[in-house]
C-alpha cells in the first residue's frame, strides 16, 4: 500500500469516527434515542464501520471513545422526570457470604476493558457494575490475531483477546 493510499485510508477512518462521535453525542436527548438516530446507525454508521474497521480496531476505537467521555451518557432520570428503582440484590444460593446490591440489573462482563482505562465512562453508559481487567504477574500480549470476530446475523462478537 502506497503512502497516499495509507493517508486516504486513515483520513476516511478518522472522518467516519468523528461522524460517529458527532452523531452519538448530539442526536440522543435525555438518554432516549430518536428514530433518526437509530435509522442512521442501522443503515449508515454501522455498515460503514464494519467496512472500515476490523473487529479489533472497532473495539479499540469504542474503548477510546468511552475512555475520553465521548460516548452517549445514560440519563439518570426516567422519561417522566421521576426515578425508577431498578436495584437488584444477589445472594448466593447457599446463603453464605454477604449479599451484593447493585443499582440495576445490567452490568458489563469481563473482556471489554482489560486495562481498566475507561471505568468512569463505562458507568456513564448506564452499566450498574463493570468487571475490569485481569491480574497477572507480568504484562500479557494476548492471543495472536485475528482474535475478534463479528457474528453479524446474531448481532454479536466473539472476543478471544486473552490477557494483554
Amino acid at each position: 500500500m502506497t503512502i497516499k493510499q495509507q493517508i486516504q485510508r486513515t483520513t476516511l477512518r478518522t472522518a467516519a469516527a468523528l461522524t460517529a462521535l458527532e452523531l452519538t453525542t448530539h442526536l440522543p436527548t435525555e438518554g432516549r434515542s430518536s428514530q433518526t438516530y437509530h435509522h442512521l446507525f442501522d443503515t449508515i454508521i454501522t455498515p460503514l464501520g464494519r467496512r472500515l474497521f476490523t473487529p479489533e480496531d472497532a473495539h479499540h476505537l469504542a474503548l477510546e471513545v468511552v475512555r475520553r467521555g465521548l460516548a452517549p451518557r445514560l440519563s439518570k432520570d426516567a422519561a417522566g422526570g421521576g426515578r425508577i428503582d431498578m436495584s437488584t440484590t444477589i445472594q448466593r444460593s447457599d446463603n453464605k457470604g454477604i449479599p451484593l446490591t447493585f443499582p440495576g440489573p445490567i452490568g458489563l462482563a469481563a473482556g471489554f476493558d482489560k486495562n481498566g482505562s475507561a471505568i468512569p465512562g463505562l458507568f456513564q453508559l448506564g452499566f450498574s457494575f463493570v468487571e475490569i481487567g485481569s491480574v497477572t504477574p507480568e504484562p500479557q500480549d494476548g492471543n495472536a490475531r485475528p482474535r475478534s470476530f463479528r457474528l453479524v446475523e446474531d448481532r454479536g462478537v466473539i472476543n478471544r483477546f486473552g490477557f494483554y
Side-chain angles (χ1 to χ4, degrees), residues 5 70 96 110 112 116:
Q5 289 172 323
L70 300 173
K96 291 183 180 177
F112 185 74

Side-chain angles (χ1 to χ4, degrees), residues 40-114:
L40 284 171
F41 263 82
D42 291 345
T43 60
I44 298 171
I45 304 293
T46 300
L48 182 63
R50 286 184 181 141
R51 287 180 161 228
L52 295 176
F53 302 105
T54 67
E56 187 160 347
D57 289 341
H59 172 91
H60 291 300
L61 175 62
L63 186 60
E64 188 64 18
V65 166
V66 172
R67 186 185 73 77
R68 292 178 182 260
L70 300 173
R73 296 181 178 154
L74 176 70
S75 172
K76 297 296 181 188
D77 293 324
R83 303 260 319 166
I84 297 174
D85 181 12
M86 294 181 60
S87 62
T88 302
T89 300
I90 300 171
Q91 175 69 48
R92 286 178 39 173
S93 61
D94 60 5
N95 286 325
K96 291 183 180 177
I98 300 171
L100 298 174
T101 301
F102 298 99
I106 300 174
L108 181 65
F112 185 74
D113 185 7
K114 297 251 184 215

Side-chain angles (χ1 to χ4, degrees), residues 122-137:
L122 292 170
F123 281 106
Q124 290 172 352
L125 287 174
F127 292 110
S128 297
F129 54 94
V130 177
E131 193 172 346
I132 297 294
S134 302
V135 178
T136 60

